[in-house]
Amino acid sequence: MAIDKTLYERLGGKSTFIKVHKIFYDKAYAHPWLSKYFTDKPQELLENQQTDFMIQLMGGPKRYSGKSPKSAHQHMLISDELFELRAQLLSDSIKEAGISDALREEWLQTDATFQRALVKTSEAECIRAYPTQAILNFSK
Ligand code: HEM
């Protein structure tokens, strides 16, 4: 029965994640505000890491070997507004990839579970991995 399948399987497997993340990071890297956080990171790397991470989270093969989202973003000041803007770009990307509204909702719900771990209200909440690490805090 379809209900027994993982979200990863119901989304059609790895090729769906590759497709969505290509569309999504094209938008993120072109966005006047969001792109400021990605200036020194190759887009392909982010696409691959996000793909492995979400596949693992949604019941697919365990291949992700990066940091946890909380520690990967600990030096970034991410507001609720920025988080929600990113979520809108992700929603648009899933739609453009031809995925059903029901599956898009499930994907977005999974993504939104990270909002509390990533959002900060001041630089005082940011943590540097080493003393000279830059805090990423950009306004619109
Ligand atoms: C507005 C919100 C977000 C911004 C601005 C943002 C930005 C970034 C940036 C700049 C990196 C590269 C970090 C580095 O390599 O030093 C990164 C990595 C990553 N992000 Fe985000 N991100 C956001 C939200 C999210 C969310 C919601 C998730 C998960 C659902 C996520 C998952 C990841 C993953 C898995 C990596 C790779 C970490 C690693 O390679 O160790 N991000 N993000």
Side-chain angles (χ1 to χ4, degrees), residues 37 41 49-50 64 67 73 76 86 111 114 118:
Y37 287 77
K41 298 288 162 191
Q49 287 296 79
Q50 189 77 1
Y64 180 66
K67 296 176 186 164
H73 303 82
M76 300 178 207
R86 175 191 170 281
D111 193 81
F114 296 96
L118 266 54

Side-chain angles (χ1 to χ4, degrees), residues 30-96:
H31 191 277
W33 185 15
L34 197 53
S35 64
K36 292 177 185 173
Y37 287 77
F38 293 104
T39 44
D40 62 351
K41 298 288 162 191
Q43 182 176 333
E44 210 190 323
L45 179 82
L46 266 293
E47 286 176 22
N48 291 340
Q49 287 296 79
Q50 189 77 1
T51 290
D52 287 347
F53 180 76
M54 291 313 269
I55 284 176
Q56 183 162 319
L57 203 64
M58 295 181 188
K62 298 191 189 313
R63 287 198 47 211
Y64 180 66
S65 60
K67 296 176 186 164
S68 74
K70 192 175 169 76
S71 68
H73 303 82
Q74 64 179 8
H75 61 298
M76 300 178 207
L77 184 48
I78 297 171
S79 63
D80 276 314
E81 186 185 4
L82 184 65
F83 192 98
E84 281 152 21
L85 181 151
R86 175 191 170 281
Q88 184 60 53
L89 294 186
L90 180 61
S91 177
D92 294 344
S93 305
I94 298 168
K95 225 182 235 182
E96 281 174 39

